[in-house]
């Protein structure tokens, strides 16, 4: 089975167009720069903590990197973080000019894998077993999508992209997205923005799909311009640039609000799922990526995407988990029906007063769980826990 699989993979890579290969390299490079910048940020935070600088102050300095406010240590770390993110975003921008969004967008999950792997190797942050499984799932899903991604269509002018964007199908999609975003911003955000995580993320994801389509159009215009076919005198190029600026500024504003209001570990996977799903949908409608593929290829790409989503959720859910047991919990001991031994079962706190005579509240030690292997021949009653 290994030989046919490797042969199929080689055939898939051999059949990849030059533009798709360039987009793949740029997308992976983008993830590498962004993932590495997160590790440098953590190293800087540790140095800052050792030198007495609070994490919030360092984060504020990093956020102001584009304006040149580099007045907090460690300066080299801040520069590298800002530079790494900027280079990564530029590479990601260029990737959309060469490869379809179905190929580029899901590969953003690789930055999570690179960050987790570097944290494991450099910062000695051990990955949970399920975290390793999450990394494997992301890699498998990415390979699946790369091998079955559609070929980028040949576009000779930015006016062709404009014609695709003004077709009834995409105009309908864009109108629905803009209307939904406006309803969320003006009616839902004031009432539920601080309590419902889907509100801020919904605005970011909806506008993000339009951002990527405009970024791709602008990237194609710049690619053609650098190849000798000037596209800068077309008004469509500047129209796409205006859409990018408007959507990106709004998107960043509400993404920052989501990160300030809710846990990053929850925001990141939900945003990744919604943003990637809507971006792929927009690309399918606008560039008709699936019109050049058979149903088997489409289903395989969807399976690869779901695999990446599963791996991403596992990584985020287990990134702070270790193999040691958690904090103290009240437990109960009940007689086993099949063995003359006692087993431990969890009893919710609110039911502590209503458990039967067999209940034994135990304070679970954080590091030593040897009591799990011990028998309790004595029946405890009226045990007070301080």
């Amino acid at each position: 089975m290994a030989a046919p699989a490797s042969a199929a993979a080689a055939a898939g890579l051999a059949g990849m167009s030059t533009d798709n290969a360039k987009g793949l390299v740029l997308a992976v490079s983008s993830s590498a720069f962004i993932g590495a910048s997160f590790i440098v940020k953590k190293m800087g935070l540790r140095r800052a903590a050792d030198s007495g600088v609070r994490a919030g102050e360092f984060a504020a300095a990093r956020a102001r990197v584009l304006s040149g406010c580099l007045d907090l240590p460690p300066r080299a770390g801040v520069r590298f973080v800002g530079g790494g993110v900027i280079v990564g975003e530029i590479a990601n921008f260029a990737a959309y000019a060469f490869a379809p969004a179905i190929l580029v967008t899901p590969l953003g999950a690789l930055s999570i894998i690179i960050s987790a792997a570097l944290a494991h190797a450099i910062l000695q942050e051990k990955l949970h077993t399920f975290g390793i499984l999450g990394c494997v799932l992301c890699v498998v899903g990415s390979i699946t999508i790369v091998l079955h991604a559609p070929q980028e269509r040949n576009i000779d002018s930015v006016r062709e992209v404009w014609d695709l964007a003004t077709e009834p199908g995409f105009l309908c999609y864009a109108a629905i997205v803009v209307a939904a975003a406006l309803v969320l911003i003006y009616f839902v955000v004031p009432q539920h923005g601080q309590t419902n995580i889907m509100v801020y993320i919904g605005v970011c994801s909806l506008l993000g799909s339009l951002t990527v389509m405009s970024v791709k159009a602008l990237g194609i215009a710049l690619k053609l311009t650098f190849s000798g076919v000037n596209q800068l005198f077309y008004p469509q190029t500047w129209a796409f640039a205006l859409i990018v600026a408007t959507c990106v500024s709004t998107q960043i504003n509400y993404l920052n609000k989501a990160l300030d209001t809710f846990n990053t570990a929850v925001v990141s996977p939900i945003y990744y799922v919604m943003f990637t799903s809507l971006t792929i949908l927009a690309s399918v409608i606008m560039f008709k990526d699936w019109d050049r593929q058979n149903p088997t290829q489409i289903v395989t790409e969807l399976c690869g995407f779901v695999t990446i989503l599963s791996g991403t959720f596992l990584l985020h859910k287990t990134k702070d988990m270790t193999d040691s047991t958690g904090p103290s919990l009240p437990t109960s001991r009940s007689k086993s029906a099949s063995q003359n031994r006692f087993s431990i079962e969890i009893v919710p706190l609110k039911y502590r007063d209503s458990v039967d005579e067999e209940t034994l509240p135990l304070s679970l030690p954080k590091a030593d769980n040897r009591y799990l292997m011990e028998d309790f021949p004595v029946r405890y009653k009226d045990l007070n826990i301080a």
Side-chain angles (χ1 to χ4, degrees):
M1 295 295 295
S6 60
L13 290 175
M16 181 181 294
S17 67
T18 303
D19 282 348
N20 273 24
K22 291 178 182 178
L24 172 62
V25 172
L26 288 168
V28 174
S29 301
S30 171
S31 297
F33 277 110
I34 294 175
S37 69
F38 291 156
I39 301 305
V40 176
K41 180 194 76 171
K42 277 199 169 185
M43 294 173 64
L45 288 174
R46 289 185 178 183
R47 288 188 193 175
D50 293 339
S51 62
V53 179
R54 296 194 306 272
E57 294 175 342
F58 181 79
R62 183 173 62 88
R64 299 195 303 271
V65 66
L66 294 179
S67 62
C69 299
L70 305 177
D71 54 341
L72 291 177
R75 294 191 176 192
V78 176
R79 288 194 184 98
F80 187 91
V81 171
V85 172
I86 291 173
V87 172
E89 292 301 334
I90 292 175
N92 193 54
F93 176 89
Y96 283 110
F98 292 96
I102 292 179
L103 172 63
V104 177
T105 306
L107 294 182
L110 294 179
S111 64
I112 304 174
I113 300 176
I114 294 171
S115 178
L118 291 177
H120 179 83
I122 298 176
L123 302 179
Q124 284 74 48
E125 295 182 0
K126 301 303 179 183
L127 272 175
H128 190 271
T129 303
F130 288 109
I132 297 175
L133 177 60
C135 291
V136 173
L137 289 175
C138 287
V139 172
V140 171
S142 299
I143 293 175
T144 302
I145 290 179
V146 167
L147 294 179
H148 297 86
Q151 302 295 334
E152 176 73 337
R153 63 188 301 158
N154 294 322
I155 296 178
D156 299 323
S157 171
V158 71
R159 289 181 297 180
E160 293 184 30
V161 185
W162 184 262
D163 292 338
L164 293 172
T166 53
E167 289 185 356
F170 188 76
L171 283 179
C172 182
Y173 172 81
I176 293 174
V177 165
V178 172
L182 291 176
V183 169
L184 288 175
I185 291 172
Y186 290 104
F187 297 100
V188 183
V189 166
Q191 297 181 1
H192 305 287
Q194 297 294 318
T195 57
N196 192 328
I197 191 173
M198 300 302 295
V199 176
Y200 290 142
I201 296 180
V203 175
C204 297
S205 302
L206 288 168
L207 295 180
S209 64
L210 298 183
T211 300
V212 171
M213 295 303 100
S214 301
V215 163
K216 184 171 180 62
L218 192 58
I220 291 173
L222 293 177
K223 180 183 72 172
L224 292 173
T225 299
F226 292 145
S227 65
V229 183
N230 190 1
Q231 304 291 308
L232 298 182
F233 59 84
Y234 289 118
Q236 290 89 340
T237 301
W238 300 105
F240 283 125
L242 180 62
I243 294 173
V244 169
T246 303
C247 290
V248 166
S249 59
T250 307
Q251 190 178 347
I252 291 176
N253 177 40
Y254 284 96
L255 181 59
N256 287 334
K257 289 183 178 181
L259 293 173
D260 289 340
T261 306
F262 304 100
N263 191 337
T264 304
V266 179
V267 172
S268 298
I270 296 177
Y271 175 59
Y272 173 79
V273 171
M274 292 187 63
F275 168 75
T276 307
S277 301
L278 290 172
T279 298
I280 291 177
L281 176 61
S283 180
V284 168
I285 295 174
M286 179 171 172
F287 291 96
K288 302 175 178 60
D289 296 320
W290 285 347
D291 289 354
R292 304 183 299 277
Q293 292 189 294
N294 58 50
T296 302
Q297 292 174 310
I298 296 173
V299 171
T300 304
E301 289 173 14
L302 291 177
C303 290
F305 178 51
V306 172
T307 303
I308 293 178
L309 295 184
S310 303
T312 303
F313 269 103
L314 272 178
L315 273 173
H316 277 282
K317 289 295 183 181
T318 62
K319 67 179 183 178
D320 295 325
M321 291 176 59
T322 61
D323 291 324
S324 60
T325 304
S328 297
L329 290 172
T331 63
S332 69
R333 119 186 121 81
S334 61
K335 193 79 171 239
S336 175
S338 59
Q339 301 178 3
N340 188 20
R341 300 173 65 88
F342 289 96
S343 61
I344 302 299
E345 64 179 273
I346 301 300
V347 175
L349 288 174
K350 63 180 180 179
Y351 297 131
R352 174 182 289 183
D353 295 334
S354 61
V355 294
D356 58 17
E357 292 182 343
E358 294 291 330
T359 299
L360 172 64
L362 295 174
S363 178
L364 302 185
K366 292 183 179 180
D368 188 4
N369 295 326
R370 289 175 295 179
Y371 70 88
L372 290 173
M373 298 179 291
E374 295 176 359
D375 291 330
F376 296 91
V378 182
R379 194 162 153 192
Y380 293 89
K381 290 183 181 180
D382 299 327
L383 179 62
N384 295 323
I385 300 299

